[in-house]
Amino acid sequence: NCTSVIANSEFTLKLLTKFNLHKTLLNKIYPGVSDLKNIKEKKISTITGSPIVLTLARLEKRKGHINVIKSIKLLKNEFKNIQYVIAGTGPELKNLKKEVKNSELEKNVIFLGNINDSEKKFIFSKTNLLVMPTIDESEKKSIEGFGIVYLESALYGIPSIASNVGGTPEAVLHNKTGIIIKDMNKLYESIDELLSNNEKRKELGRQAQKRAIEDFKWDSVANKYSKVFKP
């Protein structure tokens, strides 16, 4: 009985085809991102490292935090003051803390729990690289349909590293706004590359920011919704 079904990515749109809906019902509109420029920053005193790697997501297995922690263990040999900031809460918290302790990374990995927009703005101002290598858990009915956090960070000139899973290759454009890895074994290498190559990282960040501003600000996204809603 719907007049329109809107998917948040091309990947999600293709999932709808099995329902045999008429093509005229189907639309794809990417999510919008909110600019935090008018929000006052709230400093987080525990963020003191350099460089800063961030994952901002619910703490679920499919978000790939555990793989980033394993990479940080290797990266610490080259970047002694590297800090991995994990923002969010969820069922994987206990397992992730155990991994950090077993890897002796208590000084390099911090857990912030839930954060507000003021804290998020501060975190983005300090972050060098956003990393969220999601895992395919489609057999459990769980997969990343798009990944709005990649665009939220892009708005602040931060490039991302993501995996080739679900809709993430639409949120992060390979070698344009970040890096898409097809093999989790390439995660350490990709993080190392972007942290070591300031010029490449900053250029990816510039392109990510340009794309976020031009295509994902809510004014632009709202106009696309408005066209769908018109009778």
Side-chain angles (χ1 to χ4, degrees):
N1 293 321
C2 293
T3 56
S4 181
V5 178
I6 301 173
N8 69 345
S9 67
E10 192 67 36
F11 168 79
T12 310
L13 190 67
K14 287 178 181 178
L15 295 178
L16 290 169
T17 58
K18 67 180 180 181
F19 295 106
N20 297 317
L21 298 172
H22 197 282
K23 287 185 177 180
T24 57
L25 284 176
L26 302 178
N27 293 275
K28 178 198 73 180
I29 301 178
Y30 290 130
V33 291
S34 299
D35 195 335
L36 305 177
K37 64 181 180 181
N38 294 323
I39 293 176
K40 186 178 180 180
E41 277 188 6
K42 182 179 179 181
K43 184 177 181 180
I44 300 174
S45 60
T46 51
I47 298 180
T48 58
S50 180
I52 298 292
V53 175
L54 169 68
T55 301
L56 173 57
R58 181 165 166 76
L59 306 188
E60 299 175 339
K61 184 178 178 181
R62 75 173 172 88
K63 297 293 185 177
H65 296 87
I66 199 81
N67 296 297
V68 185
I69 292 171
K70 290 176 180 178
S71 297
I72 295 296
K73 185 176 181 179
L74 299 173
L75 289 160
K76 194 175 79 166
N77 296 325
E78 184 177 352
F79 306 96
K80 292 182 179 180
N81 295 317
I82 191 171
Q83 195 168 37
Y84 178 34
V85 177
I86 298 176
T89 58
E92 274 293 290
L93 179 61
K94 185 177 179 180
N95 290 335
L96 295 176
K97 285 189 171 182
K98 183 179 178 181
E99 182 69 25
V100 168
K101 184 177 180 180
N102 291 342
S103 301
E104 299 180 344
L105 291 173
E106 290 94 335
K107 293 182 179 179
N108 300 94
V109 181
I110 61 171
F111 294 87
L112 298 181
N114 284 328
I115 58 170
N116 58 36
D117 283 345
S118 295
E119 293 166 323
K120 184 189 292 187
K121 184 176 182 179
F122 176 79
I123 294 169
F124 282 153
S125 73
K126 299 296 181 183
T127 296
N128 300 100
L129 185 63
L130 183 117
V131 184
M132 192 173 78
T134 56
I135 299 167
D136 187 347
E137 289 196 315
S138 51
E139 76 283 355
K140 297 180 182 179
K141 308 297 183 183
S142 179
I143 198 166
E144 198 73 34
F146 182 69
I148 191 62
V149 69
Y150 302 118
L151 279 304
E152 287 182 324
S153 57
L155 203 58
Y156 291 83
I158 303 167
S160 296
I161 294 178
S163 53
N164 188 28
V165 171
T168 54
E170 297 174 64
V172 180
L173 305 183
H174 184 56
N175 278 335
K176 291 183 179 180
T177 67
I179 292 178
I180 294 289
I181 58 170
K182 296 182 179 180
D183 185 339
M184 202 62 75
N185 292 326
K186 297 290 184 182
L187 180 60
Y188 158 72
E189 179 184 313
S190 299
I191 298 174
D192 185 42
E193 177 189 0
L194 291 192
L195 292 183
S196 300
N197 190 336
N198 289 333
E199 186 176 338
K200 180 175 182 179
R201 187 182 72 251
K202 290 179 180 179
E203 177 56 28
L204 291 175
R206 281 191 289 269
Q207 293 189 55
Q209 186 177 50
K210 182 175 183 291
R211 180 178 181 235
I213 292 172
E214 291 179 354
D215 298 336
F216 292 91
K217 294 291 283 292
W218 270 112
D219 285 351
S220 173
V221 173
N223 284 334
K224 294 175 183 177
Y225 273 101
S226 180
K227 290 177 182 178
V228 172
F229 293 158
K230 284 182 179 178

